[in-house]
Amino acid sequence: MKKHFKKVSQFKFLYSVTKKLTFFVLAVFIQYTASASDKSASRFGGVQIGTITYSFRSMPDQSISAILKYVIQSGLSSVELMGGPVEQYAGFPLGKDSVVIRRWRSTVSMDKFKEIRKMFDEKGVIINILKLGNQSWSDEEIDYAFKVCKTLGAKGISMEISEEAARRMAPFAEKHNLYAIFHNHGQPADPNFSFDKMLDYGSNLMLNFDAGHYFGFTGLAPTAFIERLHDRIVSIHIKDKTGLDASEPNKNQQFGQGQTPVREILQLIQKNKWPITCDIELEYDIPEGSDAVREVTKCLEYCRNALLPTK
């Protein structure tokens, strides 16, 4: 009788453990699949909407974990990630000694950057572009920037467009088989400026085209530019600005209140199924009582409505 009781007790114990283990494995699986599915959370009608994390610059906590939290709270699943918080997490040295900084970048382990990628992967957020580096960096530092980029799983590093930057970055982009991605401000308003001239320096040079700045500074339709160079555009910064004929020209506005053809840009990309990520860049003044997360959420909703209009 005692032996029988003992066997029954052992059976119950094993059954209980197996049951708990099954539930645990199932919970982990559900959590994993939920995170994986979140990668399409801000993809509407085939168009990936993201943000440059510069949009959250006014938020109180600028740590990498806080920035990821802001991204998730905004409902986004893709980012152009600012390099500052990334380097800070990895132990960027205090002070402004360029020799110390250069040495750190040349020798730092990729372990912390791997941790960042894991953080974002677990939350289903794509690091599409890393904003890190420029043409004034040493060869070793540029190699480091591309190495961090590859560790994070990004397509390339972004920086301001210039002929000097294009000439300098082309061989590094080719060497690392990644993109050097150039962002514009008011340069297109200069009649001597040419995007094509910059891109001719290498096939791994691409554009982070700021449609708002392009329209605000030139008054020209961004849609025509996108149609012509769509195969050299990795991402577009989406913002709404007034035109040159406005009482306050080239002024940042809440989405839908300016004159930039934001809807037309999004729908053009959707219609042609171009693999271009559209990144919200929050630059208008945040209304009293609101914050960057709430405003980015509003911008995302505007983009969603443009791509998935209600019938």
Side-chain angles (χ1 to χ4, degrees):
M1 187 74 177
K2 287 183 179 180
K3 286 184 178 180
H4 175 71
F5 179 76
K6 188 175 182 181
K7 285 182 180 180
V8 171
S9 298
Q10 287 174 341
F11 174 77
K12 286 182 177 180
F13 173 75
L14 289 171
Y15 175 78
S16 175
V17 170
T18 303
K19 188 177 179 181
K20 288 178 181 179
L21 183 61
T22 301
F23 279 123
F24 174 76
V25 171
L26 183 61
V28 170
F29 175 76
I30 291 170
Q31 186 176 18
Y32 172 79
T33 52
S35 294
S37 65
D38 284 347
K39 289 189 177 182
S40 61
S42 59
R43 178 182 289 273
F44 309 118
V47 180
Q48 179 68 61
I49 306 297
T51 191
I52 178 169
T53 56
Y54 172 78
S55 296
F56 302 115
R57 63 196 176 279
S58 62
M59 297 299 287
D61 187 346
Q62 289 297 302
S63 67
I64 195 71
S65 58
I67 288 168
L68 177 56
K69 183 179 71 173
Y70 304 148
V71 171
I72 294 165
Q73 288 174 340
S74 300
L76 292 158
S77 56
S78 178
V79 293
E80 176 183 352
L81 187 59
M82 298 294 288
V86 171
E87 290 196 302
Q88 291 296 330
Y89 182 84
F92 189 79
L94 298 174
K96 298 181 179 180
D97 189 321
S98 60
V99 174
V100 172
I101 292 171
R102 190 179 304 123
R103 187 184 304 117
W104 180 82
R105 285 176 174 151
S106 302
T107 59
V108 66
S109 166
M110 290 293 111
D111 288 349
K112 286 292 185 180
F113 302 109
K114 290 176 184 176
E115 289 179 14
I116 293 173
R117 180 172 182 174
K118 185 180 179 184
M119 276 186 224
F120 279 72
D121 281 348
E122 287 177 347
K123 296 299 183 181
V125 177
I126 301 162
I127 302 175
N128 188 46
I129 299 172
L130 174 65
K131 191 170 184 65
L132 182 69
N134 61 60
Q135 69 273 12
S136 68
W137 281 22
S138 67
D139 288 1
E140 293 79 12
E141 287 176 296
I142 295 173
D143 280 329
Y144 150 83
F146 278 109
K147 190 176 178 182
V148 173
C149 173
K150 185 167 288 187
T151 301
L152 294 177
K155 293 175 181 174
I157 60 173
S158 59
M159 64 196 67
E160 193 69 10
I161 193 167
S162 70
E163 188 170 359
E164 181 187 357
R167 187 187 303 111
R168 178 93 166 100
M169 289 295 162
F172 288 96
E174 184 175 355
K175 171 184 175 181
H176 292 275
N177 195 27
L178 291 167
Y179 292 138
I181 308 169
F182 297 118
H183 175 265
N184 62 281
H185 280 85
Q187 298 95 332
D190 181 349
N192 296 315
F193 176 81
S194 168
F195 281 100
D196 299 84
K197 185 178 181 181
M198 311 298 170
L199 296 174
D200 283 345
Y201 277 96
S203 59
N204 282 40
L205 303 184
M206 303 290 276
L207 297 177
N208 164 224
F209 176 58
D210 195 308
H213 286 322
Y214 181 84
F215 175 74
F217 280 98
T218 69
L220 300 173
T223 48
F225 178 90
I226 295 166
E227 284 188 282
R228 187 174 73 81
L229 284 176
H230 64 87
D231 60 340
R232 301 300 298 272
I233 300 173
V234 173
S235 67
I236 296 175
H237 278 187
I238 300 293
K239 56 171 67 78
D240 202 352
K241 302 185 85 170
T242 56
L244 296 178
D245 59 348
S247 57
E248 291 184 277
N250 193 21
K251 182 176 175 61
N252 291 302
Q253 300 284 344
Q254 294 187 36
F255 279 30
Q257 296 182 14
Q259 296 170 283
T260 307
V262 173
R263 285 180 178 271
E264 290 83 351
I265 291 168
L266 295 172
Q267 290 167 1
L268 176 68
I269 294 166
Q270 182 181 44
K271 176 185 174 182
N272 289 280
K273 299 180 180 178
W274 291 326
I276 299 172
T277 298
C278 296
D279 286 329
I280 294 161
E281 183 172 22
L282 182 64
E283 293 216 273
Y284 63 79
D285 293 335
I286 295 173
E288 187 176 349
S290 187
D291 62 25
V293 171
R294 293 174 187 169
E295 295 308 308
V296 170
T297 304
K298 290 178 188 176
C299 295
L300 178 62
E301 182 65 11
Y302 182 90
C303 295
R304 189 192 70 80
N305 290 337
L307 293 164
L308 301 175
T310 54
K311 294 182 180 181

